[in-house]
Amino acid sequence: MLMSKIAVVHDNFAQMGGAERVAEEIYQLLPGATLHTTVALPQLLSPGLRNARIRTTWMQHLPALKRYFRHYFLLYPLAIEGMNLSDYDLIVSSCFGYAKGVRKRAGAVHVCYCHAPMRWVWRYDEYSARAGFGGVTQRLLPRLLSGLKRWDLRASRQPDYFIANSQFVADRIKQAYGREATVIPPPIDVSRFQIAATTGDYYLVLSRLLAYKRIDLAVAACTRLNRPLVIIGDGPARAQLGKLAGPSVKFLGWQSDEDVARYAARCRALLFPGEEDFGMTPLEVNAAGRPVIAYRSGGALETS
C-alpha cells in the first residue's frame, strides 16, 4: 500500500509569532510530511523549527531578508506558484498571505488553515493609516496592492477546503473570498505556563511591534498614568513606540520562552489593545493565572 505524501506550506519563516507556532504544530501532527516556505531565518525561530528541514525557494537568496522580507511582498506570489508540489497527495497550507496560492496536481487535496485574509490588501486603509507611510509610498502602494488583491482572489480558489482560526476570520473569508470555512481554534501550549506564588507591579505586552496591533495605546496609557509596563517583542514600530514611552515603560525585545512564561506569571495583567484575528497570547497568560485587559473586538470576544 502506497503512503500518501504530505506537504505543509507556510508563507514565510522570517519571524516567530502565533502563525509560525501553528505551522510548527501542523507539521508535527503529520508524521512524514515535508515543510515548505518561501524564506526562512532559522536564528529567529523556535528550537523545533530550527531543527526541521525547511525547504525554501529562490527568495532565500535575496539580500537583507531579516530587514526587508516585508518589502519583497510582490515576489511572494511568484515564489509560491513556483513551488513544485506535484508529488504530494495532500497539501496543508498555513496562510496569512500567500501560501494558499500553491499549485497542486490533479487529484491532490489542498487544505488551507487561514489565519486571516491578507490584512494589508483587504484592510489597506486601516493598515496604512497606522503604518506611517511616506508620501511616495502612499501614492504608489495602492496601485501595487490592487494587482496583489486580484492575485489573492485567484489564489483563494486553489484550496479545496478552508479552516479558520475563529468565527471572526471565517466571516472575513466569506466576505473576501466567498468561501465557507470550518472553525478550528489554534493549538496553544499551556503546559509551559505556571501560576506564580507572587505577582509583580507591572503590566505586560507580549507582541510583535507592528502598527496595527495598537501597542501605542498601551504605551500612551501607562506613560500618562505612570504605570510600569514591560514590553516583550520587537518589530518595525519599535522606534516610534520608544518616542511615545515615558520612564515607566521598558522594552525588553525578544525573550526566550522561559523568560516569557516568567514575566507572564507575575504581571498584574496583560494589555491586549489591538483587534486580533484570534489572539493566542491572552489564553497563554490566562494559563499563567493572570488577567487580560483586551480591546472588545475580533477573536478576543470568542475566548473571553
Side-chain angles (χ1 to χ4, degrees):
M1 179 179 178
L2 294 176
M3 297 292 291
S4 297
K5 294 190 67 175
I6 304 172
V8 177
V9 184
H10 185 62
D11 289 302
N12 63 63
F13 285 115
Q15 56 191 338
M16 194 66 206
E20 288 69 37
R21 292 188 183 277
V22 172
E24 179 181 3
E25 189 69 21
I26 292 172
Y27 174 62
Q28 292 177 345
L29 287 171
L30 298 170
T34 57
L35 184 57
H36 303 254
T37 192
T38 52
V39 300
L41 300 176
Q43 67 273 25
L44 302 181
L45 303 180
S46 67
L49 287 173
R50 284 199 302 271
N51 293 328
R53 182 170 174 250
I54 303 176
R55 303 183 183 189
T56 58
T57 69
W58 51 267
M59 287 187 70
Q60 186 70 20
H61 305 291
L62 293 173
L65 280 174
K66 183 177 179 180
R67 183 174 182 181
Y68 294 121
F69 74 93
R70 292 186 181 88
H71 295 71
Y72 294 132
F73 64 92
L74 291 180
L75 299 181
Y76 287 101
L78 300 175
I80 284 290
E81 291 183 343
M83 287 183 179
N84 183 3
L85 302 179
S86 59
D87 289 339
Y88 294 95
D89 305 297
L90 172 64
I91 299 169
V92 181
S93 59
S94 164
C95 181
F96 55 81
Y98 308 94
K100 62 181 167 292
V102 294
R103 306 291 178 82
K104 63 183 179 69
R105 64 165 175 79
V109 175
H110 178 183
V111 179
C112 176
Y113 192 102
C114 185
H115 306 282
M118 279 190 196
R119 183 184 300 272
W120 54 98
V121 164
W122 295 97
R123 307 179 75 177
Y124 172 75
D125 289 342
E126 173 188 330
Y127 186 82
S128 63
R130 300 187 179 115
F133 294 139
V136 174
T137 302
Q138 286 279 21
R139 290 192 296 272
L140 291 179
L141 198 54
R143 299 179 185 180
L144 297 175
L145 291 182
S146 64
L148 186 57
K149 187 174 186 177
R150 290 192 295 272
W151 178 87
D152 194 47
L153 279 171
R154 293 195 303 272
S156 72
R157 302 293 174 248
Q158 296 293 340
D160 298 285
Y161 305 98
F162 270 99
I163 297 172
N165 56 18
S166 65
Q167 188 58 51
F168 178 67
V169 168
D171 292 342
R172 287 169 57 189
I173 291 171
K174 178 68 172 179
Q175 182 180 16
Y177 304 142
R179 300 289 305 273
E180 299 293 337
T182 300
V183 177
I184 301 179
I188 299 175
D189 181 11
V190 298
S191 63
R192 66 188 180 97
F193 295 91
Q194 304 295 327
I195 296 175
T198 59
T199 58
D201 183 26
Y202 62 90
Y203 293 93
L204 181 65
V205 165
L206 296 172
S207 177
R208 287 173 292 150
L209 304 186
L210 302 171
Y212 82 87
K213 291 183 177 288
R214 300 313 313 269
I215 308 303
D216 59 304
L217 296 176
V219 170
C222 288
T223 296
R224 181 174 180 179
L225 299 173
N226 197 32
R227 299 290 180 88
L229 174 64
V230 172
I231 298 178
I232 296 178
D234 207 347
R238 169 63 179 85
Q240 185 61 34
L241 292 172
K243 295 176 182 178
L244 296 175
S248 67
V249 180
K250 295 182 179 179
F251 295 86
L252 301 187
W254 292 113
Q255 299 290 311
S256 68
D257 283 353
E258 293 75 17
D259 285 337
V260 167
R262 180 167 57 85
Y263 277 101
R266 292 167 175 79
C267 68
R268 293 190 66 179
L270 176 79
L271 302 186
F272 196 69
E275 180 184 87
E276 288 286 354
D277 307 307
F278 179 82
M280 298 170 67
T281 304
L283 297 183
E284 292 175 334
V285 173
N286 284 162
R290 307 311 303 146
V292 175
I293 302 173
Y295 177 53
R296 189 182 177 89
S297 183
L301 293 176
E302 299 178 42
T303 59
S304 59

